[in-house]
Amino acid sequence: MDWNELPLFFQEWLNYVSDASQKIPGSPIFLRYIKSSYQNDPFRSAIELFLFLFALRYLLAPSYSVKKHKGYVKLTDSEVDELVDEWTPESLTAPPTPFEEAELEKRPVIVGPSGPKTRLSSGRTITNLATLNFYNFVANETLKEKAIQTLRTYGVGPCGPPGFYGTQDVHMRTEADIASHLGTVACIIYSQAFSAVTSVIPAFSKRGDIIVADTAVSYAIRRGIQISRSTVRWYEHNDMEDLERVLKKVVKEQAKKPLTRRFIITEGLFENIGDLADLPTLIDLKLKYKFRLILEETWSYGVLGRTGRGLTEHQNVDPILVDMIIGSLAGPLCAGGGFCAGSADIVEHQRISSNAYTFSAALPAMLATTASETLNLLQENPEVITQLRDNIKAFRAQIDPRSEWVRCIGCAENPAQLLVLKPEVISSKGFDLHEQQLVMQEIVDEALANGVLITRLKQMPSALGVPLKDQGWQASAALKVCITIGLTRKEIEKAGTVIRHAVTKIVSKRR
């Protein structure tokens, strides 16, 4: 073939290929796409060709075999079983300390219902001041009948999240009951109290937003703050002057930056100290500096106020002024789950953005009904709250000022009374925090030996490897005594005397 005939040959070959491709169904559309694509964007055509060749190479490549890998060692079945038996997985938790092991060995086991008088596995019947059964709703026959009736009607649980066939009419009724009781526009209920606050905070506060929180907030709040990944500023516990200083600093820092969401987070009744937040001042500061207020009332709802509405009723504050009120339906209300009350927009946002609501099974209908019934009991019988406070007063009279070693901290309305060593005792004995915890556990054991079950304040240990200066606020070692109306005034006074004598016996022998 002459070189002059070569271009003519290629032209004939291309015409032949073009004619042949025209016979393939859909080929004109494909060729038209290639021509227009090349004319409009040849770079895209090159990328598409590369991706096509890469996909073709990937599909035609032989499968990878580990047996051909260099250094591959073939093991017999017995050798594989032996290696599996020898393998020890790394523990997900730190090993228990000797102190924790000793505590576990002495921990009592309750048989039957956990009422004011409780029977242990050893056969002894003791006075139980370690349960949150403040109003003795556990023994209420009306509540039991309602719970059994609901169980037979709705079953054990909805087996699905609220947004996906998990919501039942009892859930909607409970939400309406809580909103009506608190005096808010709307309410949303969660299947677990701990998950409520840990989900509400990150549902609203995101990376780049600002959170100003009390240094003494509970572990659940700290977890919610951590999950939100927001910028956090702490203020000294219940120090409103320090809070205003922090708010001023935040406003000044953010003056020339893009607008962000800003929140103040605090507890109504502090779990680790037992005192109350200054809600009127918090409202004034949040309005002055344009922050939103998240009030966590796990320990105050059902306890404070004339009808148990919580801190807003106790300090005569309109609940509408609080952006979000988070609380628990367990404990005083003898049910389970948690809630968040606020405006309609606040509630509806959580139904699609709160992890614990969206991805967790809904609250069992039996617990929702129990919560509604206990709320009705508190509103119809406010004298039970008065009776509880009388018992608290009787107990405190046995400790303060009669004891030389411990004192009651926190507010007088708190049914979970906290007893800490007096500062002069700590200094004279030279106790550090660990030694104080040892003393408190010995007092718990001594009180149990004398027929009174109490517990001590516990908190999550600090993360491994975190320096002491970065561990944050630490709660004091304390005894935790839960008062109940299931006991008479004389029984409460007797239990207080037993605890005071146990404190005297244990602390006095310490050198």
Side-chain angles (χ1 to χ4, degrees):
M1 180 184 293
D2 192 357
W3 288 101
N4 294 327
E5 298 176 357
L6 189 61
L8 182 61
F9 171 78
F10 275 113
Q11 183 64 37
E12 292 178 353
W13 183 79
L14 289 174
N15 291 335
Y16 172 77
V17 172
S18 177
D19 293 338
S21 63
Q22 293 291 335
K23 299 177 181 180
I24 301 176
S27 59
I29 299 175
F30 179 71
L31 292 175
R32 225 173 18 249
Y33 167 75
I34 293 177
K35 291 179 180 179
S36 62
S37 174
Y38 178 77
Q39 291 174 356
N40 297 332
D41 191 356
F43 182 70
R44 188 183 71 174
S45 299
I47 294 178
E48 290 178 350
L49 178 62
F50 171 77
L51 293 175
F52 173 75
L53 295 176
F54 176 80
L56 190 64
R57 169 69 179 83
Y58 180 80
L59 293 173
L60 298 179
S63 60
Y64 175 76
S65 175
V66 294
K67 295 183 179 180
K68 297 180 181 179
H69 183 68
K70 185 178 180 181
Y72 174 78
V73 179
K74 185 176 181 180
L75 299 176
T76 64
D77 292 341
S78 60
E79 289 174 330
V80 172
D81 293 339
E82 184 178 350
L83 289 174
V84 171
D85 293 337
E86 291 177 354
W87 179 69
T88 302
E90 185 178 353
S91 177
L92 298 176
T93 60
T97 63
F99 174 52
E100 292 172 338
E101 291 179 347
E103 181 186 359
L104 288 173
E105 290 177 0
K106 297 180 180 179
R107 183 166 295 175
V109 178
I110 295 176
V111 179
S114 180
K117 294 290 184 178
T118 302
R119 189 166 67 89
L120 303 181
S121 58
S122 60
R124 295 176 57 205
T125 298
I126 48 92
T127 299
N128 188 356
L129 297 182
T131 176
L132 303 179
N133 182 30
F134 303 139
Y135 300 111
N136 199 26
F137 285 146
V138 170
N140 189 295
E141 294 299 328
T142 302
L143 288 178
K144 290 181 182 179
E145 292 176 3
K146 287 280 187 179
I148 294 173
Q149 181 182 353
T150 305
L151 184 64
R152 289 172 176 167
T153 303
Y154 294 89
V156 177
C159 301
F164 188 62
Y165 67 78
T167 298
Q168 299 169 316
D169 56 347
V170 290
H171 297 124
M172 301 171 69
R173 192 180 309 123
T174 301
E175 290 178 347
D177 290 341
I178 297 172
S180 175
H181 183 233
L182 274 172
T184 58
V185 176
C187 176
I188 182 173
I189 60 174
Y190 289 80
S191 57
Q192 190 184 35
F194 184 91
S195 299
V197 65
T198 56
S199 295
V200 172
I201 294 174
F204 292 93
S205 185
K206 310 292 184 180
R207 187 191 298 273
D209 295 332
I210 307 295
I211 291 178
V212 178
D214 192 296
T215 55
V217 293
S218 65
Y219 176 73
I221 296 177
R222 290 178 179 273
R223 291 297 297 172
I225 293 173
Q226 181 184 18
I227 295 171
S228 73
R229 298 179 296 178
S230 303
T231 303
V232 187
R233 299 287 184 267
W234 301 95
Y235 66 93
E236 294 299 323
H237 171 61
N238 255 351
D239 189 338
M240 296 297 102
E241 292 182 359
D242 189 55
L243 170 59
E244 185 167 15
R245 178 190 63 81
V246 175
L247 296 179
K248 284 181 179 178
K249 185 177 180 182
V250 169
V251 171
K252 184 177 180 181
E253 291 174 350
Q254 299 294 317
K256 298 182 179 180
K257 295 182 180 180
L259 187 63
T260 59
R261 290 176 289 261
R262 305 170 186 176
F263 300 89
I264 300 173
I265 301 180
T266 186
E267 287 184 85
L269 174 58
F270 285 86
E271 175 185 2
N272 296 318
I273 300 180
D275 56 356
L276 304 177
D278 186 356
L279 190 54
T281 305
L282 285 167
I283 295 295
D284 292 341
L285 291 176
K286 81 110 176 177
L287 294 175
K288 179 179 180 181
Y289 293 98
K290 296 180 174 58
F291 276 67
R292 295 179 175 92
L293 177 60
I294 300 178
L295 180 63
E296 211 276 349
E297 291 214 71
T298 292
W299 302 100
S300 52
Y301 184 65
V303 169
L304 298 180
R306 189 183 64 85
T307 58
R309 287 184 172 90
L311 190 64
T312 54
E313 184 181 35
H314 183 74
Q315 296 185 350
N316 196 26
V317 173
D318 187 352
I320 300 298
L321 297 175
V322 182
D323 297 279
M324 282 167 266
I325 299 177
I326 306 170
S328 171
L329 302 177
L333 299 186
C334 197
F339 69 86
C340 178
S343 66
D345 292 338
I346 289 289
V347 167
E348 291 306 314
H349 175 75
Q350 295 176 61
R351 297 195 191 278
I352 58 174
S353 301
S354 180
N355 289 336
Y357 187 86
T358 307
F359 301 110
S360 297
L363 183 70
M366 178 180 65
L367 297 179
T369 301
T370 302
S372 292
E373 291 298 323
T374 51
L375 285 177
N376 291 334
L377 288 175
L378 286 179
Q379 295 179 83
E380 294 172 358
N381 305 287
E383 62 272 9
V384 297
I385 300 178
T386 304
Q387 183 182 351
L388 178 61
R389 291 173 184 168
D390 290 340
N391 282 359
I392 297 171
K393 185 177 179 180
F395 172 79
R396 289 173 68 99
Q398 298 301 315
I399 304 299
D400 259 341
R402 294 192 178 187
S403 177
E404 300 177 4
W405 312 101
V406 295
R407 62 187 178 91
C408 298
I409 62 173
C411 70
E413 295 85 0
N414 183 13
Q417 286 290 301
L418 300 178
L419 279 60
V420 299
L421 294 172
K422 293 182 177 180
E424 56 270 22
V425 174
I426 296 174
S427 59
S428 64
K429 300 287 185 179
F431 290 151
D432 58 19
L433 182 59
H434 178 66
E435 289 173 330
Q436 293 178 53
Q437 292 173 342
L438 290 175
V439 169
M440 293 303 177
Q441 186 58 46
E442 291 180 9
I443 295 172
V444 170
D445 296 337
E446 179 64 24
L448 179 60
N450 289 277
V452 178
L453 177 62
I454 60 175
T455 185
R456 61 183 179 86
L457 183 65
K458 300 177 183 179
Q459 62 179 6
M460 296 297 294
S462 302
L464 297 176
V466 177
L468 184 62
K469 64 182 181 64
D470 296 331
Q471 291 181 2
W473 183 86
Q474 295 288 321
S476 302
L479 298 173
K480 191 171 184 178
V481 183
C482 300
I483 312 301
T484 175
I485 65 172
L487 298 173
T488 64
R489 182 185 181 91
K490 288 186 177 181
E491 289 174 324
I492 291 291
E493 291 175 344
K494 182 179 178 182
T497 303
V498 170
I499 295 171
R500 187 178 76 244
H501 290 167
V503 170
T504 301
K505 179 179 179 180
I506 297 301
V507 179
S508 60
K509 70 179 182 181
R510 285 273 183 165
R511 295 290 183 265

